[in-house]
Amino acid sequence: MELAETYACVPSTERGRGILISGDPKSDTILYTNGRSVVILDLNNPLKVSIYGEHAYPATVARYSPNGEWIASGDVSGTVRIWGAHNDHVLKKEFKVLAGRIDDLQWSADGMRIVASGDGKGKSLVRAFMWDSGSNVGEFDGHSRRVLSCAIKPTRPFRIVTCGEDFLVNFYEGPPFKFKLSSREHSNFVNCVRYAPDGSKFITVSSDKKGIIYDGKTCEKLGELSSDDGHKGSIYAVSWSPDGSQVLTVSADKSAKVWEISDNGNGTLKTTLNCPGSSGGVDDMLVGCLWQNDHIVTVSLGGTISIFSASDLDKSPFQFSGHMKNISSLSVLKGNADYILSGSYDGLICKWMLGRGFCGKLQRTQNSQIKYFAAHEEEIVTSGFDNKISRISYNDDQCTNEESIDIGNQPKDLSLAPLSPDLLLVTFESGVVFLRGEKVVSTISLGFTVTALAVTPDGTEAIIGGQDGKLHLYSINGDSLTEEAVLEKHRGAISVIRYSPDLSMFASADLNREAVVWDRASREVKLKNMLYHSARVNCLAWSPNSTMVATGSLDTCVIVYDVDKPASTRMTIKGAHLGGVYGLGFADDSHVVSSGEDACIRVWSLTPQ
């Protein structure tokens, strides 16, 4: 099996904080972080994605070395890892740099030193060290609170500038670096500092809505960004153009601005970039930016990445987005073209197309959390962490009406019967609820602890799995259930049940890492010994031709079995998703789609063995 496509997660963002994305000095590749992943994304082809997942804690920032061969990334525990930018991302070194979270790090122009800044938890807030030995190159005093950003002068003589939550901009000379002076021009958090490519100037931007330009060698204030057309909110990030004549700023006022910087250090507004398709909500606040060769990249609080062309700023940007949190479920739907709907627990539903990637977020009227999710052509059903079920009708990416139904219990699993319109079964701790349309028509107590559910498309039969590992088969008559059989094989609580598309079989899986394929007519086990996961099975999917079944597990693997061959002839994808696989589907008979804890979606091609 080989990876055909990756639809990347978007950068992790946080209200009231900027994020620092960075670029490769030799290509159009950018780096950003989400959870424990460092994402390497090609701006010319956003489907070309590589992900590094070796951090033990959530990663916060990553930077390419000046020669483009190495990447240094920091995480919330204060650790910096230095690893290869290509192929297998081999680890070069790991250093414990700060006592708390690392907010920014920067390489020196000769690639020998790294400076990192962040939260010191009472110890040092900034450290500069040799990249190969980790030995300190200087003392950094002068800050009293978290240091949000740092920069190294890219030309000799080297200088380091730091800025942070104590409103200070501190200037250090070296190496070995020592404190020279402190500037108090800002009256609020100083969010980002960046040197111009030629080292002659640097700029700091702050939550006081100001940008100030200093001399790169002496730290003398030269000028400011003009306040006439300035930002009306906190400025979170700044990036210089490659020739050092312009800067890009992004702000909480939802706009990005490009400024011309004159030789005497004053900035005049050149243009304001507006991102189309904005709803005006807080999710449109811009928190990160990067000027990468001819690309101008902005990132919003909601995770939308907009790529403008620097040579043609009036051209509307290429935009894409995705999930920021664990994708708990996905459905592959057949329409005019096959597409994928995915839901993450923060309530976001995204639409994806094979070969194209991101196709839009579904605009919902109520943004409730999503725990379970079922979809077919014109309806999506979700349940959250309250007692409510949402039935969403949608047409051409628009959710036309969303009904919330209170079923009186916390939903455990839900299943639609597409051929029996309006019928929806929802299980709860001890029973099952029948819904027709927006009405609860019956609530049936079953006398055992319920964990999973599947219903045939015509709504005549249901299989309900229990905490005891038994499968209960019921026939559905009107709004009642009649128990037909109880199947015993599993040794753990049932986690998922799915009918095959031709309805001749069904498959079930449990928390004890086992899956079983059953023959529906004889109710006998058809494929056994599917015991190749090392943790609980979270999800299961059938191929459209009913010859293959795929399982996804907490152990990060996806395993595909052929139902007519022994289980030992399986195909395994190891490490499909960092943190576990939670959603699974077949796009067609030769492509599996998976999603997981890392907020990414991957398409795998099943090449003939």
Side-chain angles (χ1 to χ4, degrees):
M1 291 166 88
E2 54 192 44
L3 181 61
E5 289 174 12
T6 301
Y7 308 144
C9 53
V10 295
S12 291
T13 59
E14 187 186 337
R15 184 84 191 267
R17 293 243 175 261
I19 59 163
L20 302 170
I21 52 177
S22 66
D24 179 359
K26 303 255 189 317
S27 70
D28 284 331
T29 310
I30 63 166
L31 296 172
Y32 60 81
T33 60
N34 178 310
R36 283 167 43 210
S37 313
V38 177
V39 182
I40 307 169
L41 180 109
D42 188 337
L43 292 175
N44 300 317
N45 177 11
L47 296 184
K48 191 174 161 194
V49 175
S50 169
I51 290 179
Y52 177 78
E54 300 291 316
H55 275 281
Y57 293 89
T60 52
V61 60
R63 298 255 176 257
Y64 275 100
S65 65
N67 63 6
E69 292 300 311
W70 302 97
I71 292 171
S73 53
D75 64 28
V76 296
S77 72
T79 303
V80 169
R81 291 176 77 98
I82 300 167
W83 41 280
H86 308 297
N87 306 336
D88 292 339
H89 304 313
V90 56
L91 181 68
K92 166 91 171 160
K93 289 283 178 188
E94 181 177 59
F95 302 116
K96 177 81 171 153
V97 178
L98 300 178
R101 167 193 172 106
I102 291 177
D103 281 315
D104 196 4
L105 63 82
Q106 214 76 37
W107 293 75
S108 64
D110 57 5
M112 299 304 289
R113 298 170 188 83
I114 293 174
V115 59
S117 70
D119 192 353
K121 296 204 171 154
K123 301 192 182 70
S124 62
L125 301 156
V126 183
R127 260 190 68 191
F129 56 94
M130 300 302 288
W131 85 292
D132 48 0
S133 66
S135 53
N136 277 357
V137 283
E139 288 296 319
F140 295 87
D141 346 326
H143 278 294
S144 56
R145 296 187 54 191
R146 182 166 159 187
V147 180
L148 298 175
S149 185
C150 56
I152 299 189
K153 185 163 173 274
T155 52
R156 289 184 186 274
F158 287 146
R159 301 281 185 266
I160 288 179
V161 187
T162 58
C163 63
E165 294 189 353
D166 49 11
F167 312 171
L168 296 180
V169 174
N170 282 0
F171 193 68
Y172 303 86
E173 289 184 342
F177 293 99
K178 56 182 186 296
F179 180 76
K180 177 74 190 301
L181 60 100
S182 188
S183 159
R184 295 175 176 272
E185 296 286 343
H186 287 292
S187 58
N188 206 329
F189 289 5
V190 191
N191 292 317
C192 186
V193 54
R194 289 291 174 260
Y195 259 103
D198 64 359
S200 62
K201 308 183 209 34
F202 66 88
I203 181 169
T204 58
V205 293
S206 159
S207 295
D208 62 7
K209 309 170 193 172
K210 277 197 216 156
I212 301 181
I213 295 113
Y214 300 83
D215 182 282
K217 203 166 162 185
T218 63
C219 193
E220 180 190 328
K221 180 181 170 183
L222 297 176
E224 296 190 7
L225 299 181
S226 156
S227 56
D228 301 344
D229 324 292
H231 284 292
K232 296 180 177 55
S234 303
I235 305 178
Y236 286 131
V238 61
S239 183
W240 288 85
S241 63
D243 64 0
S245 66
Q246 301 176 57
V247 296
L248 163 70
T249 57
V250 290
S251 159
D253 66 7
K254 305 168 191 165
S255 71
K257 293 181 189 284
V258 176
W259 307 80
E260 298 269 8
I261 305 295
S262 62
D263 291 339
N264 64 5
N266 280 310
T268 50
L269 183 68
K270 181 181 175 189
T271 181
T272 299
L273 304 173
N274 287 314
C275 301
S278 58
S279 58
V282 290
D283 276 356
D284 296 325
M285 290 181 175
L286 297 179
V287 292
C289 68
L290 180 68
W291 194 314
Q292 181 70 4
N293 304 331
D294 189 45
H295 300 285
I296 287 182
V297 184
T298 66
V299 182
S300 75
L301 184 65
T304 302
I305 298 175
S306 304
I307 304 170
F308 294 84
S309 162
S311 50
D312 182 6
L313 291 172
D314 298 331
K315 195 169 145 197
S316 72
F318 172 71
Q319 285 184 307
F320 63 96
S321 189
H323 292 282
M324 209 178 283
K325 300 281 196 305
N326 175 4
I327 304 176
S328 50
S329 45
L330 65 82
S331 294
V332 179
L333 296 183
K334 308 287 178 202
N336 304 334
D338 293 359
Y339 58 94
I340 301 160
L341 287 182
S342 59
S344 57
Y345 82 83
D346 53 358
L348 178 65
I349 302 176
C350 289
K351 179 179 172 180
W352 311 82
M353 238 169 221
L354 292 173
R356 224 184 96 184
F358 181 74
C359 289
K361 296 179 180 178
L362 263 55
Q363 299 298 327
R364 296 176 58 196
T365 49
Q366 311 155 348
N367 223 24
S368 52
Q369 290 184 309
I370 295 177
K371 187 175 174 190
Y372 295 107
F373 164 102
H376 70 99
E377 267 84 83
E378 286 170 8
E379 184 178 33
I380 302 170
V381 182
T382 71
S383 71
F385 294 89
D386 51 9
N387 294 349
K388 294 197 172 74
I389 299 285
S390 290
R391 295 193 82 149
I392 307 164
S393 314
Y394 89 106
N395 220 324
D396 300 334
D397 305 346
Q398 289 304 313
C399 299
T400 45
N401 82 0
E402 182 165 343
E403 296 290 339
S404 252
I405 308 136
D406 192 329
I407 62 163
N409 291 284
Q410 167 73 49
K412 280 277 187 199
D413 200 353
L414 47 86
S415 189
L416 277 165
L419 302 178
S420 165
D422 292 352
L423 178 65
L424 170 66
L425 264 68
V426 183
T427 53
F428 58 94
E429 188 77 29
S430 60
V432 62
V433 175
F434 276 76
L435 284 99
R436 292 194 186 270
E438 280 96 54
K439 287 197 179 62
V440 175
V441 288
S442 65
T443 302
I444 301 164
S445 179
L446 296 173
F448 59 92
T449 306
V450 178
T451 55
L453 162 78
V455 179
T456 52
D458 59 6
T460 57
E461 182 182 277
I463 305 172
I464 296 177
Q467 185 79 38
D468 54 7
K470 294 176 182 169
L471 294 170
H472 300 254
L473 269 70
Y474 295 91
S475 56
I476 299 175
N477 310 310
D479 299 329
S480 63
L481 295 174
T482 313
E483 186 166 272
E484 301 284 333
V486 178
L487 306 179
E488 297 189 34
K489 173 86 171 79
H490 289 284
R491 291 187 293 266
I494 309 294
S495 57
V496 57
I497 310 165
R498 289 288 180 269
Y499 281 98
S500 65
D502 65 4
L503 299 179
S504 65
M505 296 168 281
F506 57 90
S508 54
D510 64 32
L511 299 186
N512 198 24
R513 71 193 181 76
E514 184 175 16
V516 181
V517 175
W518 307 79
D519 184 78
R520 193 174 157 206
S522 65
R523 295 174 186 161
E524 297 292 321
V525 174
K526 181 164 171 102
L527 182 60
K528 56 179 190 287
N529 297 341
M530 298 163 71
L531 268 162
Y532 295 99
H533 285 296
S534 57
R536 69 168 193 250
V537 182
N538 287 327
C539 48
L540 187 153
W542 284 90
S543 64
N545 61 11
S546 302
T547 61
M548 288 180 290
V549 68
T551 57
S553 158
L554 183 67
D555 65 8
T556 74
C557 298
V558 172
I559 302 182
V560 181
Y561 302 92
D562 191 315
V563 293
D564 297 321
K565 293 181 186 160
S568 56
T569 62
R570 70 203 180 278
M571 290 183 274
T572 303
I573 308 166
K574 284 198 166 73
H577 293 276
L578 187 67
V581 182
Y582 286 86
L584 206 53
F586 274 82
D588 53 41
D589 293 326
S590 58
H591 288 90
V592 174
V593 185
S594 64
S595 71
E597 176 79 44
D598 59 3
C600 296
I601 294 177
R602 291 190 173 84
V603 182
W604 308 89
S605 167
L606 310 179
T607 43
Q609 294 296 299

